[in-house]
Structures are given as C-alpha cells and as structure tokens.
Amino acid sequence: MTPSGVKNFVVHQNQRIEQLEKELEELQKRQENLEEKVNSNSNNSNISPSTEIVKPEKKQKPKKTKRKRGGQKGHVGNHRELYPESECQRVEDHLPPTCKCCREKLSGTDDHPYRL
C-alpha cells in the first residue's frame, strides 16, 4: 500500500502538469499569432505600406567624388594595337560618302586617315 502523503503528492503533481500543459498551449497559440503579425507586411497582407512597423532600408547613394567619370587626365589607356598591313590577309578602304558634320560630299583621299 502507498502512503497517503505520496498519493497526495502524485495527485498534486498531476494537477500541476495539466495546468502547465494548458499554459503551454496558450503560449504556443499566442506565439503563432505574434509570428504571423511580425511576418506580415504590405506585400503579403492588406495593410498599407505606411503602417508597416519595420520599413525596408533605403539604398544609400554612393558618395560623390570630385573626379568625373571615365579615364582621368594623364591616364595611360589600354588598347589593342592594330596589326601591321603586312600581316593582314586583305585591306579594305571604307570611305564615307558625306561629311559627318556638314553633310557635304567627300572626294579624294586623306594622307593620314583616322584609324579605329
């Protein structure tokens, strides 16, 4: 036979366990509700963007420098040298029919043409 003090202790512990299980269920439901609120934003719910608690960070513009874009004065450019004409299979002349600026007809040849 079990002493009455032990029986009372076991009954009390069972009641305490049931009470704690109920509290745990309530806390889990509350946690789910809070997580749902935290994870909701204007993209996945019907709230307006102005009422969001956490707003996305704005992208910071890069700092402006005193230098202009592109190669600076004195910069040694990187470019590919042209092959000498002796190594080419063929050389073709491409002459524009008109001037790019004034649109007059071009005639004749240039002794020192601009080569790209």
Side-chain angles (χ1 to χ4, degrees), residues 59-110:
K59 292 182 182 177
Q60 292 181 349
K61 294 182 181 178
K63 292 182 180 178
K64 289 190 176 183
T65 61
K66 294 180 182 177
R67 295 182 177 189
K68 292 184 178 181
R69 292 177 58 182
Q72 303 299 311
K73 289 184 180 178
H75 169 73
V76 178
N78 296 327
H79 60 279
R80 183 174 158 189
E81 296 294 329
L82 294 174
Y83 291 115
E85 288 185 20
S86 59
E87 291 184 20
C88 297
Q89 292 177 350
R90 68 175 183 223
V91 177
E92 294 180 8
D93 288 331
H94 293 278
L95 303 173
T98 58
C99 176
K100 187 166 106 177
C101 298
C102 63
R103 306 218 186 266
E104 288 188 23
K105 282 191 171 188
L106 297 177
S107 63
T109 59
D110 189 359

